[in-house]
Amino acid sequence: MCAVDDILGPDYEAITLPMGRDAEGEVVATLVRRPVPGSRRAVLYLHGFTDYFFQTHVADHFVSQGIGFYALDLRKYGRSLLPHQTRGLVGSVTDYFPEIDEAVRIVREDCDELTIMAHSTGGLIAVLWADRMRGRGLVDALVLNSPFLDLNVPALVRGAADALGGVLAKLPPKTVLPLGVATAYGTSLHRDHQGEWDYDLAWKPLEGFSVHAVWLAAIRRAHRRLHAGLRVDVPVLVLAAEQSLKARDFVPGAHGADVVLDTEQIARWSTRIGPHVTCVRVPGGMHDLVLSAEPVRKQVFAEIDRWTAYAYQGKAYNP
């Protein structure tokens, strides 16, 4: 295991994690770390779909409290995307479990308390992984930022997707679904357009990634598993925007709402994660809550800090 300087600068190191091979060839994941010498606490961050780790202000927040920060670029995303690979393409969300296992093993070498913080699709992956690993003491808490707990489409469309799930899974792996292009979210974020953030548009394009049939089938299997009820045995904080907004192209309201997921679905299905779940709705929040306007993200961090203080003390959350 060899750490090299990361693209984010001298405070960050990147470790390539070999993950064997799949149908497209060699597979790797990348663990980015910003350790705090002597700290026994850590956060491991999992990104969402059409994403990678670039949110240095999130690392700053935790490091300022003496908490080591780690982030995992999953296979076929960001730092881990190899030239022969299709962006984000997997046949099951469990394909990501080996790199989470390895990242947790590495982080646990230096810490006694571990929180997994996960965004959107990363949140869905995280709860299924945590459910599988319950009872092993590998993670102490989950913080989920707008987790992807259901499809944000009309019920009839969800039903059709589920009815065709077997067909979708059997299509050629690179079959792309003709869902059209939506740029409202990406345009609302990037500083070259209507946002304040700078990131690599090759790794996080404004229009998102193509949606492949086998990927959608995998996501719906994961959703059904969640909806049937999980038994995650650690405290879980679910954060979601107060409201959603339907928009394919940018509108000013995109700066104060989730234009990707239905926040009512997030609130509803969060109760199926486990017995100890707190759900907080954030006024003015965007889909990635930590990329919201500064007053909103300050509230998000305050909610995380307050909840974490109670969760690690084994007390009930008291908003």
Side-chain angles (χ1 to χ4, degrees):
M1 184 179 68
C2 180
V4 299
D5 291 341
D6 186 62
I7 58 173
L8 295 177
D11 291 336
Y12 296 86
E13 298 175 331
I15 303 169
T16 298
L17 308 179
M19 288 290 121
R21 301 177 65 86
D22 69 2
E24 292 188 311
E26 179 189 6
V27 176
V28 302
T30 309
L31 182 64
V32 179
R33 67 183 181 186
R34 186 176 168 189
V36 174
S39 175
R40 303 302 296 175
R41 300 174 62 195
V43 168
L44 174 62
Y45 177 88
L46 304 181
H47 61 78
F49 189 59
T50 313
D51 211 352
Y52 72 102
F53 176 67
F54 64 90
Q55 299 92 333
T56 55
H57 66 291
V58 178
D60 291 342
H61 176 79
F62 291 106
V63 169
S64 70
Q65 301 178 60
I67 301 171
F69 187 86
Y70 300 75
L72 185 63
D73 272 15
L74 299 165
R75 61 185 65 196
K76 304 186 182 182
Y77 287 95
R79 301 163 179 81
S80 306
L81 180 65
L82 301 178
H84 60 272
Q85 293 178 325
T86 305
R87 297 184 300 185
L89 181 62
V90 294
S92 171
V93 298
T94 61
D95 291 351
Y96 299 116
F97 289 3
E99 53 248 50
I100 300 174
D101 290 344
E102 181 63 5
V104 168
R105 184 192 68 78
I106 293 170
V107 175
R108 275 289 186 184
E109 291 178 347
D110 298 319
C111 80
D112 300 317
E113 294 181 352
L114 173 62
T115 297
I116 290 182
M117 180 178 182
H119 170 55
S120 199
T121 305
L124 177 63
I125 297 165
V127 296
L128 292 173
W129 176 86
D131 184 66
R132 177 173 290 191
M133 297 299 169
R134 64 180 179 268
R136 302 188 189 184
L138 295 176
V139 63
D140 298 283
L142 298 181
V143 173
L144 307 179
N145 166 7
S146 302
F148 182 21
L149 305 185
D150 207 346
L151 286 180
N152 184 16
V153 294
L156 287 176
V157 178
R158 288 199 301 276
D162 291 340
L164 294 172
V167 175
L168 294 176
K170 294 176 182 178
L171 290 173
K174 295 187 180 181
T175 300
V176 175
L177 298 176
L179 301 180
V181 174
T183 61
Y185 183 55
T187 302
S188 71
L189 293 179
H190 201 275
R191 71 178 185 184
D192 289 346
H193 298 272
Q194 303 293 331
E196 64 173 293
W197 305 101
D198 185 27
Y199 51 83
D200 190 331
L201 288 174
W203 288 352
K204 185 177 174 65
L206 297 181
E207 68 277 9
F209 289 174
S210 298
V211 174
H212 294 84
V214 294
W215 178 87
L216 181 59
I219 291 297
R220 289 309 285 166
R221 289 196 302 273
H223 284 158
R224 288 193 294 274
R225 177 72 186 87
L226 166 71
H227 297 172
L230 305 178
R231 291 183 293 137
V232 173
D233 59 355
V234 298
V236 181
L237 173 62
V238 175
L239 296 149
E242 186 174 62
Q243 63 181 358
S244 298
L245 175 67
K246 293 284 190 181
R248 298 190 71 84
D249 300 314
F250 177 78
V251 293
H255 282 140
D258 191 328
V259 297
V260 178
L261 297 181
D262 182 336
T263 59
E264 296 299 327
Q265 290 176 338
I266 295 172
R268 174 189 178 188
W269 293 118
S270 66
T271 62
R272 307 299 289 167
I273 295 172
H276 305 291
V277 179
T278 301
C279 185
V280 175
R281 303 290 289 273
V282 182
M286 300 177 70
H287 175 55
D288 189 339
L289 291 160
V290 299
L291 300 183
S292 302
E294 184 175 9
V296 178
R297 60 182 184 262
K298 283 184 175 180
Q299 179 186 347
V300 170
F301 287 128
E303 295 284 358
I304 293 172
D305 292 345
R306 181 166 50 178
W307 177 86
T308 301
Y310 280 95
Y312 276 98
Q313 294 175 30
K315 299 178 180 178
Y317 179 64
N318 180 16

